């Protein structure tokens, strides 16, 4: 049941990324719907499930949006290791603060990767637009979307799982 | 520690996958799979888009109320001016028709064949601006074909084609380059997308004035001549009087467009018929 649900979510997330996210832009950025869904898979189903979901999700997002598949995959890549690092870090943060830092940092990295891809394909480089219209605007959108998704779940008692990959097998 | 955790092996595998995907993309090995995915997901995207579009429209309009008011005021002024021009041009057209008839001049049918397509999704950032349409190779769409708005203003060119889907690079994408001509002064130059979704008219070989309309030039062989593109909104001249920086606003409001036209009768140079 859990796996069927994850497959369904992985199939649906790229459609939301392609058909819904562009309708809610802020300056030059749009919310990173698929990344937040991937984070949701990680905290709700465990990091192993997210490790398996990341590649097909990235590929489907790339196919439906026309983005370069390798850059989309590379953009999502820091999510789990970064979440794991922050979890074990010395700075005491609650679950929501950890979620914010993890998602915003990964979202920024993902947008940076796509922007670098665009620059290498001939787009005009502009550090001001990259900073304000892509990275900061994108972070605000991700923060809003994460709050909308995450806080109601926490309030209803759903607790997030650790992002530390266990060594007890894939069936957990 | 991270480097001793299982993430290190997994991250290595993902980086290797990314490299393989890059190679596969370069050789077009992913295109058949992408075509299948786009075919399967099209009904879902249409359904989701139909639900979200009205809601997003209301929210967007509410957020842009002040801009919309200013735009409305400007459009009313434009409308008055254009009505006067239409009246004048209608009279001119009638006069030209009479003269052609008197001289026995026959006119070729230059009507272009256009294929209507719905916008499925849009991918926009300050550096990239693309959209996907629900027409593809099955409808005769080819890479390089010119895409206009429903009113005939230039929107972009087709960059990727699949069975029933095509991706269009808009003129506002900073990777876009269009040979353009100033209707008033006949200055020819290159129009490229700028980071803030305006356009920059570069290499203009004559004077350009604020308010001038730019249209496509056939000089590059990639566009038919005479498709309107945008209006000059700012000109910063050098001391020698030659334009240094010319900013152009697209005539079409791309964010609200839902339907586009693919110019199927014009094939850019280098595209096999």
């Amino acid at each position: 049941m859990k796996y069927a649900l994850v497959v369904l979510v992985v199939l649906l997330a790229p459609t939301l990324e392609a058909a819904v996210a562009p309708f809610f832009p802020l300056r030059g950025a749009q919310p990173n719907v698929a990344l937040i869904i991937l984070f949701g898979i990680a905290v709700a189903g465990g990091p192993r499930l997210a490790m398996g979901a990341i590649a097909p999700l990235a590929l489907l997002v790339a196919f439906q949006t026309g983005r370069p598949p390798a850059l989309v995959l590379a953009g999502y890549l820091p999510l789990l290791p970064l979440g794991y690092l922050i979890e074990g870090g010395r700075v005491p943060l609650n679950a929501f603060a950890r979620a914010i830092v993890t998602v915003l940092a990964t979202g920024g990295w993902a947008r940076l990767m796509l922007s670098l891809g665009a620059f290498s394909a001939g787009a005009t480089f502009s550090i001001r637009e990259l900073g304000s219209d892509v990275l900061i605007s994108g972070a605000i959108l991700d923060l809003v979307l994460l709050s909308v998704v995450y806080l109601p779940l926490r309030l209803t008692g759903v607790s997030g799982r650790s992002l530390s990959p266990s060594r007890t097998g894939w069936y957990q | 520690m991270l480097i001793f955790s299982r993430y290190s092996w997994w991250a290595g595998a993902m980086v290797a996958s990314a490299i393989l995907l890059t190679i596969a993309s370069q050789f077009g090995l992913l295109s058949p799979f992408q075509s299948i995915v786009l075919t399967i997901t099209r009904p879902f995207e249409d359904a989701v888009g139909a639900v979200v579009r009205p809601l997003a429209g209301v929210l967007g309009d509410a957020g842009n109320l002040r801009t919309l008011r200013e735009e409305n005021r400007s459009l009313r002024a434009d409308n008055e001016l254009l009505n006067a021009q239409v009246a004048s041009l209608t009279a001119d057209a009638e006069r030209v028709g009479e003269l052609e008839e008197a001289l026995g001049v026959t006119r070729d049918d230059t009507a272009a064949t256009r294929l209507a397509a719905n916008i499925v999704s849009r991918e926009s950032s300050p550096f990239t601006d693309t959209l996907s349409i629900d027409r593809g190779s099955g409808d005769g769409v080819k890479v390089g074909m010119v895409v206009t708005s429903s009113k005939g203003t230039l929107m972009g060119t087709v960059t990727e084609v699949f069975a029933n889907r095509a991706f269009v690079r808009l003129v506002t994408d900073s990777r876009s380059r269009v040979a353009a001509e100033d209707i008033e002064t006949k200055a020819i130059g290159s129009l490229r997308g700028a980071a803030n979704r305006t356009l920059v008219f570069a290499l203009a070989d004559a004077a350009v004035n604020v308010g001038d309309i730019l249209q496509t030039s056939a000089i590059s062989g990639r566009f038919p001549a005479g498709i309107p593109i945008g209006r000059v909104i700012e000109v910063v001249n050098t001391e020698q009087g030659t334009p240094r920086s010319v900013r152009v606003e697209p005539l079409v409001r791309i964010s609200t467009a839902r339907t586009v036209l693919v110019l199927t009768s014009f094939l850019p140079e280098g595209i096999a018929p």
Side-chain angles (χ1 to χ4, degrees), chain A residues 22-50:
Chain A
F23 287 114
F24 301 96
L26 180 64
R27 298 177 74 91
Q30 57 192 46
N32 214 330
V33 177
L35 178 71
I36 289 170
I37 288 174
L38 187 66
F39 184 73
I41 293 172
V43 294
R48 286 187 176 280
L49 218 47

Short mmCIF file of all heavy atoms in Angstrom, two decimals, chain A residues 22-50:
data_model
loop_
_atom_site.label_atom_id
_atom_site.label_comp_id
_atom_site.label_asym_id
_atom_site.label_seq_id
_atom_site.Cartn_x
_atom_site.Cartn_y
_atom_site.Cartn_z
N PRO A 22 3.62 26.83 -12.63
CA PRO A 22 3.80 28.05 -13.44
C PRO A 22 2.70 29.09 -13.22
O PRO A 22 2.89 30.26 -13.56
CB PRO A 22 3.77 27.53 -14.88
CG PRO A 22 4.14 26.11 -14.79
CD PRO A 22 3.59 25.62 -13.49
N PHE A 23 1.56 28.69 -12.67
CA PHE A 23 0.49 29.66 -12.44
C PHE A 23 0.71 30.49 -11.18
O PHE A 23 -0.05 31.41 -10.90
CB PHE A 23 -0.86 28.94 -12.34
CG PHE A 23 -1.36 28.44 -13.66
CD1 PHE A 23 -1.47 27.08 -13.90
CD2 PHE A 23 -1.69 29.31 -14.68
CE1 PHE A 23 -1.92 26.61 -15.12
CE2 PHE A 23 -2.13 28.85 -15.90
CZ PHE A 23 -2.26 27.50 -16.12
N PHE A 24 1.70 30.14 -10.37
CA PHE A 24 1.93 30.86 -9.12
C PHE A 24 3.37 31.39 -9.07
O PHE A 24 4.16 30.99 -8.22
CB PHE A 24 1.63 29.95 -7.93
CG PHE A 24 0.22 29.45 -7.92
CD1 PHE A 24 -0.10 28.22 -8.45
CD2 PHE A 24 -0.80 30.25 -7.41
CE1 PHE A 24 -1.42 27.77 -8.47
CE2 PHE A 24 -2.11 29.81 -7.43
CZ PHE A 24 -2.42 28.57 -7.96
N PRO A 25 3.71 32.26 -10.02
CA PRO A 25 5.09 32.76 -10.05
C PRO A 25 5.30 33.92 -9.07
O PRO A 25 4.36 34.61 -8.69
CB PRO A 25 5.23 33.25 -11.49
CG PRO A 25 3.87 33.71 -11.87
CD PRO A 25 2.89 32.87 -11.08
N LEU A 26 6.52 34.10 -8.66
CA LEU A 26 6.91 35.29 -7.90
C LEU A 26 8.17 35.81 -8.59
O LEU A 26 9.20 35.14 -8.57
CB LEU A 26 7.19 34.95 -6.43
CG LEU A 26 7.61 36.12 -5.55
CD1 LEU A 26 6.49 37.15 -5.46
CD2 LEU A 26 7.98 35.64 -4.16
N ARG A 27 8.05 36.97 -9.21
CA ARG A 27 9.11 37.50 -10.06
C ARG A 27 9.51 36.43 -11.07
O ARG A 27 8.68 36.01 -11.85
CB ARG A 27 10.28 37.99 -9.22
CG ARG A 27 9.86 39.14 -8.28
CD ARG A 27 10.97 39.60 -7.39
NE ARG A 27 11.95 40.37 -8.13
CZ ARG A 27 11.89 41.69 -8.28
NH1 ARG A 27 10.90 42.36 -7.75
NH2 ARG A 27 12.81 42.33 -8.94
N GLY A 28 10.72 35.92 -11.03
CA GLY A 28 11.13 34.95 -12.04
C GLY A 28 11.08 33.50 -11.57
O GLY A 28 11.51 32.61 -12.29
N ALA A 29 10.56 33.28 -10.38
CA ALA A 29 10.61 31.91 -9.83
C ALA A 29 9.21 31.31 -9.72
O ALA A 29 8.22 32.03 -9.72
CB ALA A 29 11.26 31.94 -8.46
N GLN A 30 9.18 30.02 -9.66
CA GLN A 30 7.93 29.32 -9.39
C GLN A 30 8.19 28.27 -8.32
O GLN A 30 9.32 27.84 -8.14
CB GLN A 30 7.37 28.70 -10.67
CG GLN A 30 8.30 27.74 -11.37
CD GLN A 30 7.80 27.40 -12.76
OE1 GLN A 30 7.39 28.27 -13.53
NE2 GLN A 30 7.82 26.12 -13.09
N PRO A 31 7.16 27.90 -7.56
CA PRO A 31 7.40 26.96 -6.45
C PRO A 31 7.94 25.62 -6.93
O PRO A 31 7.55 25.13 -7.99
CB PRO A 31 6.02 26.80 -5.81
CG PRO A 31 5.05 27.29 -6.81
CD PRO A 31 5.75 28.29 -7.65
N ASN A 32 8.82 25.05 -6.13
CA ASN A 32 9.43 23.78 -6.46
C ASN A 32 8.57 22.65 -5.90
O ASN A 32 8.90 22.03 -4.89
CB ASN A 32 10.85 23.73 -5.88
CG ASN A 32 11.78 22.95 -6.76
OD1 ASN A 32 11.35 22.03 -7.46
ND2 ASN A 32 13.05 23.29 -6.73
N VAL A 33 7.44 22.42 -6.56
CA VAL A 33 6.43 21.48 -6.05
C VAL A 33 6.99 20.07 -5.89
O VAL A 33 6.82 19.42 -4.86
CB VAL A 33 5.20 21.47 -6.99
CG1 VAL A 33 4.17 20.46 -6.51
CG2 VAL A 33 4.58 22.85 -7.07
N ALA A 34 7.69 19.61 -6.92
CA ALA A 34 8.18 18.23 -6.90
C ALA A 34 9.20 18.02 -5.78
O ALA A 34 9.21 16.95 -5.14
CB ALA A 34 8.81 17.89 -8.25
N LEU A 35 10.02 19.02 -5.52
CA LEU A 35 11.04 18.89 -4.46
C LEU A 35 10.36 18.77 -3.09
O LEU A 35 10.77 17.95 -2.25
CB LEU A 35 11.97 20.11 -4.48
CG LEU A 35 13.04 20.11 -3.40
CD1 LEU A 35 14.10 19.06 -3.69
CD2 LEU A 35 13.69 21.48 -3.29
N ILE A 36 9.33 19.55 -2.88
CA ILE A 36 8.64 19.51 -1.58
C ILE A 36 7.88 18.19 -1.44
O ILE A 36 7.82 17.61 -0.35
CB ILE A 36 7.72 20.75 -1.45
CG1 ILE A 36 8.63 21.97 -1.25
CG2 ILE A 36 6.75 20.61 -0.28
CD1 ILE A 36 7.95 23.29 -1.34
N ILE A 37 7.34 17.69 -2.52
CA ILE A 37 6.69 16.37 -2.48
C ILE A 37 7.74 15.29 -2.17
O ILE A 37 7.49 14.37 -1.38
CB ILE A 37 5.96 16.09 -3.82
CG1 ILE A 37 4.71 16.98 -3.89
CG2 ILE A 37 5.58 14.62 -3.94
CD1 ILE A 37 3.96 16.92 -5.19
N LEU A 38 8.92 15.43 -2.75
CA LEU A 38 10.00 14.47 -2.48
C LEU A 38 10.41 14.52 -1.01
O LEU A 38 10.63 13.47 -0.38
CB LEU A 38 11.20 14.80 -3.37
CG LEU A 38 12.36 13.81 -3.36
CD1 LEU A 38 11.94 12.47 -3.95
CD2 LEU A 38 13.54 14.36 -4.14
N PHE A 39 10.46 15.70 -0.47
CA PHE A 39 10.78 15.85 0.96
C PHE A 39 9.67 15.21 1.81
O PHE A 39 9.95 14.56 2.82
CB PHE A 39 10.94 17.34 1.31
CG PHE A 39 11.35 17.56 2.73
CD1 PHE A 39 12.64 17.27 3.15
CD2 PHE A 39 10.44 18.03 3.68
CE1 PHE A 39 13.03 17.47 4.47
CE2 PHE A 39 10.82 18.22 4.99
CZ PHE A 39 12.11 17.94 5.39
N GLY A 40 8.43 15.38 1.35
CA GLY A 40 7.30 14.76 2.05
C GLY A 40 7.43 13.24 2.05
O GLY A 40 7.15 12.59 3.06
N ILE A 41 7.85 12.67 0.92
CA ILE A 41 8.05 11.22 0.84
C ILE A 41 9.13 10.80 1.84
O ILE A 41 9.00 9.79 2.54
CB ILE A 41 8.46 10.80 -0.60
CG1 ILE A 41 7.30 11.03 -1.57
CG2 ILE A 41 8.91 9.34 -0.64
CD1 ILE A 41 7.66 10.82 -3.04
N ALA A 42 10.20 11.63 1.94
CA ALA A 42 11.32 11.29 2.83
C ALA A 42 10.90 11.31 4.31
O ALA A 42 11.23 10.39 5.05
CB ALA A 42 12.47 12.25 2.61
N VAL A 43 10.15 12.33 4.71
CA VAL A 43 9.79 12.42 6.13
C VAL A 43 8.60 11.53 6.49
O VAL A 43 8.48 11.09 7.63
CB VAL A 43 9.50 13.88 6.58
CG1 VAL A 43 10.75 14.72 6.49
CG2 VAL A 43 8.38 14.50 5.78
N ALA A 44 7.75 11.25 5.52
CA ALA A 44 6.59 10.40 5.83
C ALA A 44 6.90 8.92 5.63
O ALA A 44 6.46 8.07 6.40
CB ALA A 44 5.40 10.80 4.95
N GLY A 45 7.66 8.60 4.61
CA GLY A 45 7.92 7.20 4.29
C GLY A 45 9.32 6.73 4.62
O GLY A 45 9.63 5.55 4.46
N GLY A 46 10.17 7.65 5.00
CA GLY A 46 11.54 7.29 5.33
C GLY A 46 12.48 7.61 4.18
O GLY A 46 12.05 7.69 3.02
N PRO A 47 13.77 7.79 4.50
CA PRO A 47 14.72 8.22 3.47
C PRO A 47 14.96 7.18 2.37
O PRO A 47 15.24 7.55 1.24
CB PRO A 47 16.00 8.48 4.27
CG PRO A 47 15.84 7.74 5.53
CD PRO A 47 14.38 7.69 5.82
N ARG A 48 14.83 5.89 2.70
CA ARG A 48 15.09 4.87 1.68
C ARG A 48 14.07 4.97 0.53
O ARG A 48 14.41 4.79 -0.63
CB ARG A 48 15.04 3.49 2.30
CG ARG A 48 16.24 3.20 3.14
CD ARG A 48 16.27 1.77 3.61
NE ARG A 48 17.49 1.54 4.32
CZ ARG A 48 18.66 1.31 3.74
NH1 ARG A 48 18.74 1.29 2.43
NH2 ARG A 48 19.74 1.12 4.46
N LEU A 49 12.84 5.24 0.92
CA LEU A 49 11.79 5.38 -0.09
C LEU A 49 12.11 6.58 -1.00
O LEU A 49 11.95 6.50 -2.23
CB LEU A 49 10.46 5.60 0.63
CG LEU A 49 9.21 4.94 0.05
CD1 LEU A 49 9.44 3.49 -0.31
CD2 LEU A 49 8.05 5.08 1.01
N ALA A 50 12.55 7.66 -0.37
CA ALA A 50 12.89 8.86 -1.15
C ALA A 50 14.11 8.63 -2.02
O ALA A 50 14.19 9.14 -3.14
CB ALA A 50 13.13 10.03 -0.20
#
